[in-house]
Amino acid sequence: MDRPQFYFILYGKGKIFIGYDGDGLYMEGMFRIVISETAFVLQVETAFALQIDGVSLFSGSALGYVEISGDDTLGVGLLGYFDLTVAIGLPASAGFGLTGRFQFEINTFTRDREVSRFKINDDGQVTFDADGNAIREMHTIPALSLRVYIGGLLKLGDVFEVIGSIEIQLSSAGFEMHIYGKVKIGDFGKIEVKGDAGLYIELVGGIPIPVVAMKISVLIDFNIPGVRIYGAGLFQINTSFTTPHFDVPAFSFKIWIKGTVEIAVIFKIEAEVTVSFQNGVFRISLDNLEINFFNAFKIVIKGFVQSDGQFEVYGALYVDLNLYIVRFEMRVRVHVWLCWDTSACIQDPEVAANRGGSQAGLSVYIWGKITINLFIA
């Protein structure tokens, strides 16, 4: 920041709070206010505590500055960041821990603005230049936002650790956490994690009620000698009765898992499962289960059951056993359904074609063939 021609500096000691309704950043210590003809800058070197609902999430020391400025286009607002050195982290009751480098960011303008942010590598570590200074880059933060940016490690209980970046955003409605990271499993593979979580306060009948919303996606890829496991997963929940969050419908949850296990070229299993609750209906769906053994035996099962009485089950067995002299082929298909809402029925084209336009039915199909090859010299 260039030093203006005319300015004066005020030194002081005291307390400052930045946040909403008691949730936010509390600072106590030394302050320096630089006033010039072009800017009003608050510089801090203080102790801090980040509190939500009276609970201290992090505490330690803060160093940085916030500029107070404005013009006819942007109006008056605060923009800047504080580097946070954390001495005490999340309480054990939180169920997860965060370690790494922390930065508190603020933008009270009505437009998105840019602040300087430290850069991290693929392992969640801060990158440095040849002189040992942290490499920084400009990053856009939304209008009217307070957030804490973390580059480092997210530890979920004693189960696994996520390396990457985490953003905690504070607002008058609560706070949100945005996660971008990965879990390394030695040299065998990785799990990529990306998602959003939030805690909000909503009025229900005039009474403030805490609301939780979350949407976390996972990508898995393991490659152990002779065995490969890969797939994806999604967990989402929203306890709000009226408001969607992160594109998750109000008062709903969903768990979706899709994966494949391959053992050499002998055995392969593919599965996809969804468990959900939406619009008052609970649903368990086996979207796909496929077992393949040597390409000679293949089993496919699909189906669902709902709390409103609708269900559908489709199963098929394919056999193609070629012993050169004798070849045995068989197809077995069983299909039963009670499904009056076409949007709830199995959407697979083959299953839909077998169902036709019927709301209920039972279908059984069996076909077999034996081929004998005789070789006469």
Side-chain angles (χ1 to χ4, degrees):
M1 182 175 62
D2 296 332
R3 178 169 292 181
Q5 185 175 359
F6 301 103
Y7 68 93
F8 66 93
I9 300 174
L10 298 178
Y11 291 90
K13 184 178 181 180
K15 300 179 180 179
I16 288 181
F17 167 73
I18 302 176
Y20 303 94
D21 299 327
D23 296 340
L25 189 69
Y26 290 81
M27 294 180 290
E28 181 175 359
M30 299 299 299
F31 304 94
R32 185 170 71 167
I33 299 175
V34 180
I35 302 174
S36 70
E37 73 274 17
T38 59
F40 185 110
V41 178
L42 170 66
Q43 299 175 338
V44 305
E45 188 174 351
T46 68
F48 85 91
L50 180 67
Q51 294 187 7
I52 301 293
D53 289 333
V55 178
S56 178
L57 301 183
F58 312 101
S59 60
S61 59
L63 177 65
Y65 76 93
V66 170
E67 182 174 341
I68 304 172
S69 62
D71 55 40
D72 294 337
T73 302
L74 296 173
V76 178
L78 282 72
L79 180 69
Y81 70 90
F82 302 127
D83 279 323
L84 307 178
T85 302
V86 175
I88 301 176
L90 289 163
S93 59
F96 62 92
L98 292 168
T99 57
R101 182 158 180 160
F102 294 67
Q103 178 171 301
F104 181 84
E105 302 169 347
I106 180 172
N107 175 19
T108 66
F109 287 94
T110 56
R111 294 185 183 179
D112 297 352
R113 299 294 301 274
E114 288 188 334
V115 297
S116 174
R117 176 181 286 183
F118 59 84
K119 186 178 180 180
I120 62 173
N121 58 24
D122 291 338
D123 292 325
Q125 302 297 314
V126 179
T127 57
F128 296 90
D129 60 21
D131 297 325
N133 300 313
I135 298 174
R136 306 189 71 91
E137 55 188 4
M138 299 306 293
H139 182 82
T140 301
I141 62 174
L144 303 173
S145 67
L146 305 175
R147 59 179 53 202
V148 178
Y149 175 74
I150 305 163
L153 182 70
L154 168 64
K155 186 174 183 180
L156 302 176
D158 295 322
V159 181
F160 65 91
E161 298 175 342
V162 180
I163 300 170
S165 66
I166 301 101
E167 292 183 0
I168 300 175
Q169 181 171 332
L170 302 143
S171 70
S172 57
F175 77 93
E176 298 177 352
M177 179 183 293
H178 309 284
I179 304 167
Y180 310 90
K182 62 182 178 181
V183 181
K184 282 189 173 181
I185 313 295
D187 295 327
F188 299 121
K190 63 182 179 180
I191 302 174
E192 295 183 0
V193 181
K194 180 179 179 181
D196 307 285
L199 176 63
Y200 313 93
I201 301 297
E202 295 185 357
L203 293 178
V204 178
I207 301 174
I209 301 294
V211 169
V212 175
M214 183 181 301
K215 187 174 185 179
I216 304 293
S217 61
V218 178
L219 293 176
I220 302 171
D221 192 352
F222 297 152
N223 199 346
I224 304 170
V227 179
R228 186 185 177 198
I229 302 172
Y230 56 94
L234 174 70
F235 172 73
Q236 64 183 44
I237 184 172
N238 183 6
T239 63
S240 171
F241 287 97
T242 58
T243 307
H245 294 285
F246 311 123
D247 296 325
V248 180
F251 203 59
S252 69
F253 78 84
K254 179 179 180 180
I255 301 172
W256 172 79
I257 301 172
K258 181 179 181 180
T260 301
V261 178
E262 296 178 351
I263 302 176
V265 294
I266 302 174
F267 195 66
K268 181 178 180 181
I269 300 177
E270 297 180 3
E272 183 176 354
V273 180
T274 303
V275 180
S276 63
F277 177 82
Q278 187 174 346
N279 298 325
V281 177
F282 179 76
R283 176 185 175 103
I284 300 177
S285 175
L286 180 60
D287 304 312
N288 185 59
L289 173 63
E290 184 173 313
I291 302 174
N292 190 319
F293 185 74
F294 269 126
N295 291 320
F297 299 90
K298 181 179 177 182
I299 299 173
V300 176
I301 301 175
K302 306 174 188 285
F304 77 91
V305 59
Q306 292 188 174
S307 59
D308 62 359
Q310 297 187 83
F311 69 90
E312 185 172 13
V313 178
Y314 175 90
L317 169 66
Y318 304 90
V319 179
D320 189 351
L321 185 59
N322 193 343
L323 302 177
Y324 300 104
I325 296 177
V326 177
R327 181 179 181 183
F328 176 64
E329 300 172 78
M330 185 172 68
R331 309 284 186 271
V332 178
R333 183 177 67 226
V334 178
H335 188 190
V336 58
W337 69 96
L338 175 60
C339 182
W340 57 84
D341 182 358
T342 55
S343 65
C345 301
I346 298 175
Q347 301 301 308
D348 181 275
E350 182 179 349
V351 179
N354 188 68
R355 186 175 59 244
S358 302
Q359 295 184 354
L362 170 64
S363 171
V364 178
Y365 170 83
I366 301 176
W367 174 87
K369 179 181 178 182
I370 297 178
T371 303
I372 300 177
N373 298 311
L374 298 178
F375 299 92
I376 300 175

